Amino acid sequence: MQTEEFFQILVTLPANETHRQTLAAACPGGRFTYLPQEALSEAAVAGADVIVGNLPHALLPACKRLKLLQLASAGADGFPARMPEGAVLTNASGAYGLAISEHMLGMVLGILKRLYTYHDDQRQSLWRDEGTVASLEDAVVLAVGMGNIGGEFARKCKALGSYTVGIRRQLREKPDYLDELHSLSELDELLPRADVVALSLPSGPETDGLMDERRLRRMKPGAVLVNVGRGKAVVTDDLMKVCAEGRIHAALDVTDPEPLPPDHPLWQTPNVHITPHISGFFHLPQTLDRIVSIAAQNLRRFCEGRPLLNVVDSETGYRREDNRA
C-alpha cells in the first residue's frame, strides 16, 4: 500500500473547522481537498485516492485512483455495482439513529395525541375538543429493520413503556430493549398485533413493495405506519386507499415517487402525514459530527493498512455484520 504522504483525499461533506481538524489528524500526511457535491467534476475526482462523502453515480467511472469511498449516507443505493475495480465502499451506518429515531417518535406522538388535528384546528381558529388519544405505554411497537435507526427507535419506545418487537434480516442475540426478535418471514403474523409499525429498510428485492394492500389490511385498525427507510417499501396507491378509509394512519419521511410532485394525491390523503425526506441529512448537527467520526476512524485505519469499518457487501448492499462502527 502506498504511504500516506501521497494520499489525495477529497471531502464532499460540509465540514467545519473542527471536522477538518479531526479528519486531518486521522491522516496527517494526507492532502485534503474540500468540494461540495454540486461542484464535483470528472477532473475533481480523477486524482482522489479517498473520497469522503457522497458523489453522483455518473462520476464513479472517472475515479481512476479511488481506493476508498466513505459514504456520508447509511444507504448505499446504486454504489456497489458502480464501484471502480479494487475500491472499497464503506457507509455511515451508526450516524443517523439519534436524529431519525427522534423524528419518528415525534411523528408517532403527533398522531397518537392528535397534534396534527389540533394544528389544523388552530389554522381555522377552532377551539374544539378532538376526543380520545392514545399512548406509547403498553403499545406494541414493531420495528421492521433493526439497524441503528430501527434499534434506536425501539429503544426509545421501550423507555416509554412500549412492548417492542423487532424484525431483522439475519437473526442474532436479542438486545435488552426488545421483548421479541423475529425474521422478515414472520411479518404477516406480527402485523395484526402492532399498534405502531416502523419501517427503516433499504431498497432491494426483499423490501420493495413490502407493504402492499394485503399487508396494510393486516395491520390493527387505528395502527400507525411509519416509513423512514425507502419509499418503495410501501405501495403508494395501496396506502392511499387504506388510509382514506380511515383504517390506519401513516407517518412518512420517504415516498414513492420522490420528490413527491405537488399534484400527487398522497399529499391530500386523509390520515397521511408527510415530511420531505429530511429526518436524516445534516439537519441535526450531531449527525454530521458522527459521520465525521466514522470517516476519521476509517481514514486512520486506511492510512495504517488496517481493516475498515462499515464495509458494504457488494452482493447484498448492506453493511457487513463483522465490522460495525
Side-chain angles (χ1 to χ4, degrees), residues 5-320:
E5 285 79 8
F6 299 101
F7 287 143
Q8 300 290 339
I9 302 168
L10 173 63
V11 182
T12 70
L13 301 174
N16 60 31
E17 185 57 34
T18 299
H19 297 146
R20 295 185 183 205
Q21 291 175 7
T22 298
L23 295 172
C27 188
R31 297 172 183 171
F32 287 81
T33 301
Y34 289 84
L35 283 175
Q37 287 191 52
E38 58 269 21
L40 295 179
S41 64
E42 291 187 357
V45 303
D49 297 298
V50 178
I51 297 177
V52 176
N54 290 30
L55 73 162
H57 294 148
L59 290 179
L60 283 171
C63 299
K64 303 299 185 183
R65 290 177 46 173
L66 189 65
K67 299 174 181 64
L68 168 63
L69 172 56
Q70 169 65 62
L71 296 175
S73 57
D77 295 0
F79 282 99
R82 296 177 172 87
M83 288 293 290
E85 186 176 355
V88 179
L89 178 67
T90 58
N91 68 16
S93 185
Y96 291 92
L98 173 64
I100 298 181
S101 66
E102 288 187 345
H103 187 94
M104 296 165 75
L105 191 61
M107 293 190 84
V108 169
L109 288 172
I111 292 170
L112 296 183
K113 303 303 179 186
R114 301 186 183 272
L115 299 184
Y116 292 107
T117 303
Y118 284 114
H119 177 265
D120 292 342
D121 287 351
Q122 179 183 342
R123 304 297 293 180
Q124 301 176 70
S125 304
L126 291 177
W127 186 278
R128 180 167 63 192
D129 188 326
E130 294 291 354
T132 59
V133 297
S135 175
L136 275 173
E137 184 166 317
D138 296 326
V140 176
V141 173
L142 175 60
V144 186
M146 288 302 298
N148 179 239
I149 295 166
E152 284 300 309
F153 179 67
R155 188 192 305 274
K156 288 175 172 59
C157 291
K158 184 66 176 177
L160 291 172
S162 301
Y163 185 90
T164 53
V165 182
I167 286 181
R168 284 186 56 86
R169 185 173 58 93
Q170 294 181 338
L171 292 180
R172 61 169 188 260
E173 185 177 355
K174 181 179 71 66
D176 292 341
Y177 56 81
L178 286 183
D179 294 291
E180 300 178 26
L181 181 61
H182 299 270
S183 67
L184 191 58
S185 63
E186 300 171 89
L187 177 61
D188 285 352
E189 289 69 43
L190 295 169
L191 285 172
R193 297 172 50 196
D195 299 289
V196 177
V197 178
L199 309 179
S200 55
L201 298 164
S203 184
E206 283 185 305
T207 58
D208 290 352
L210 183 72
M211 296 301 294
D212 57 9
E213 183 174 352
R214 182 182 67 82
R215 286 203 171 106
L216 292 169
R217 292 192 182 281
R218 287 193 64 79
M219 290 175 60
K220 180 187 294 187
V224 179
L225 176 71
V226 187
N227 190 16
V228 296
R230 291 293 181 267
K232 288 185 177 181
V234 180
V235 180
T236 301
D237 288 347
D238 294 353
L239 180 70
M240 290 191 295
K241 181 178 180 180
V242 176
C243 284
E245 293 173 2
R247 182 176 179 84
I248 63 171
H249 302 266
L252 310 175
D253 188 50
V254 290
T255 61
D256 181 29
E258 190 174 303
L260 194 64
D263 59 349
H264 198 287
L266 184 62
W267 286 112
Q268 305 304 326
T269 301
N271 302 307
V272 173
H273 306 282
I274 301 168
T275 53
H277 204 158
I278 46 74
S279 62
F281 199 56
F282 306 136
H283 294 94
L284 183 69
Q286 290 96 314
T287 300
L288 183 54
D289 294 343
R290 292 177 178 202
I291 294 169
V292 169
S293 175
I294 292 168
Q297 291 179 68
N298 268 343
L299 270 180
R300 182 172 292 107
R301 287 169 174 263
F302 176 77
C303 291
E304 295 173 355
R306 295 190 289 131
L308 300 173
L309 304 172
N310 284 5
V311 174
V312 176
D313 188 305
S314 61
E315 296 291 326
T316 66
Y318 289 86
R319 173 184 60 178
R320 294 177 188 167

